[in-house]
Amino acid sequence: MAGKVFFSVTMSLDGFMAPDDAPVELVFSPEGRGDPRVRRWMTKWSALQSWVFPQRWFRENLKLGEGGEEGVDNDVVRATFERTGVSVLGKRMFDAGELSWPAEAPFHTPVFVLTHTKRDPWERPGGTTFHFVNDGIESALEQARAAAGERDVRIAGGAETIQQYLDGGLIDEFCITLAPVLFGTGIRLFDRVDPDRLVLEQTRADASSRVTHLTYTVAKR
């Protein structure tokens, strides 16, 4: 039986996935380190993601060192990784990651990248191979499902890619980690999603001292 299609993101309390003070390409380039917009972006993004950095599973997966916190947050990080057989990325997210990921990219699975250009597969140490798909989101998902087998397909982002899959009725489940920060402006997760096309059922809620993890199943109207 094929696995689920899901996404898992951290979101501010006012609904933003990321700041918008600086272009992502500038944020992850050496030229951007002295730019005040980049410093503001990194400060906000670090506050949003601060719950995950101390987690033992996260630290071990990225080879940041031994030890770390265990508990609800660590369990969520580990479960998300273990259920994912394949990830799907938008081109913009891939471009930013290509600048910032270590040689051993953090996926350790096949990754399908949505793009408008042709490019040969890019194999990285640690089991990650990037495949580039230029004939649409449904083609990428079909290939991802075939590669994932019985494991799940994660739509890893960014926001526009997740929105396309939501509007296409192609998401089975999503997990939102609500962080206690406010951005005011930025990139919203649900900006261009048609609410009339989605019916949601909350299936799980787990809270730690840092964040709240919410899980929803999605049905078509």
Side-chain angles (χ1 to χ4, degrees):
M1 181 180 296
K4 295 179 180 178
V5 180
F6 79 106
F7 68 85
S8 175
V9 298
T10 302
M11 189 169 72
S12 70
L13 284 178
D14 49 352
F16 297 99
M17 283 180 58
D20 66 351
D21 295 325
V24 172
E25 295 79 3
L26 184 62
V27 169
F28 293 106
S29 67
E31 295 79 11
R33 292 172 184 168
D35 192 303
R37 295 175 299 165
V38 171
R39 291 197 294 268
R40 287 194 299 269
W41 194 99
M42 289 301 299
T43 297
K44 290 182 177 181
W45 185 84
S46 296
L48 182 70
Q49 303 291 348
S50 62
W51 70 274
V52 76
F53 298 130
Q55 304 312 314
R56 180 169 184 166
W57 184 267
F58 179 85
R59 290 177 54 80
E60 290 178 350
N61 185 41
L62 267 69
K63 295 183 167 47
L64 300 177
E66 296 182 357
E69 296 182 5
E70 297 188 23
V72 171
D73 295 336
N74 189 63
D75 291 345
V76 167
V77 174
R78 183 178 63 248
T80 300
F81 179 87
E82 289 179 344
R83 69 183 288 190
T84 301
V86 170
S87 291
V88 177
L89 302 181
K91 181 63 161 55
R92 189 172 182 222
M93 184 174 178
F94 170 79
D95 287 344
E98 191 174 16
L99 293 171
S100 60
W101 292 321
E104 187 173 318
F107 299 96
H108 309 295
T109 66
V111 178
F112 290 85
V113 180
L114 298 164
T115 181
H116 295 296
T117 60
K118 292 185 177 181
R119 178 172 170 178
D120 292 334
W122 185 40
E123 185 174 352
R124 308 302 295 150
T128 300
T129 300
F130 294 95
H131 303 271
F132 301 90
V133 182
N134 58 15
D135 56 349
I137 64 170
E138 293 190 8
S139 174
L141 181 56
E142 181 179 354
Q143 295 177 61
R145 281 189 182 278
E150 295 184 359
R151 296 175 72 190
D152 295 338
V153 174
R154 182 184 183 190
I155 310 302
E160 184 176 343
T161 298
I162 292 172
Q163 290 162 5
Q164 289 182 63
Y165 279 99
L166 277 172
D167 273 342
L170 300 171
I171 299 288
D172 302 311
E173 179 181 286
F174 62 83
C175 309
I176 291 177
T177 295
L178 280 178
V181 298
L182 299 172
F183 280 0
T185 61
I187 300 172
R188 287 189 182 274
L189 175 59
F190 298 115
D191 249 359
R192 291 182 291 278
V193 172
D194 183 356
D196 294 331
R197 302 188 65 179
L198 296 175
V199 178
L200 304 179
E201 178 183 353
Q202 183 170 307
T203 56
R204 186 163 181 170
D206 298 289
S208 72
S209 61
R210 296 179 183 273
V211 291
T212 301
H213 306 281
L214 302 172
T215 303
Y216 301 88
T217 56
V218 182
K220 296 179 183 179
R221 288 191 185 277

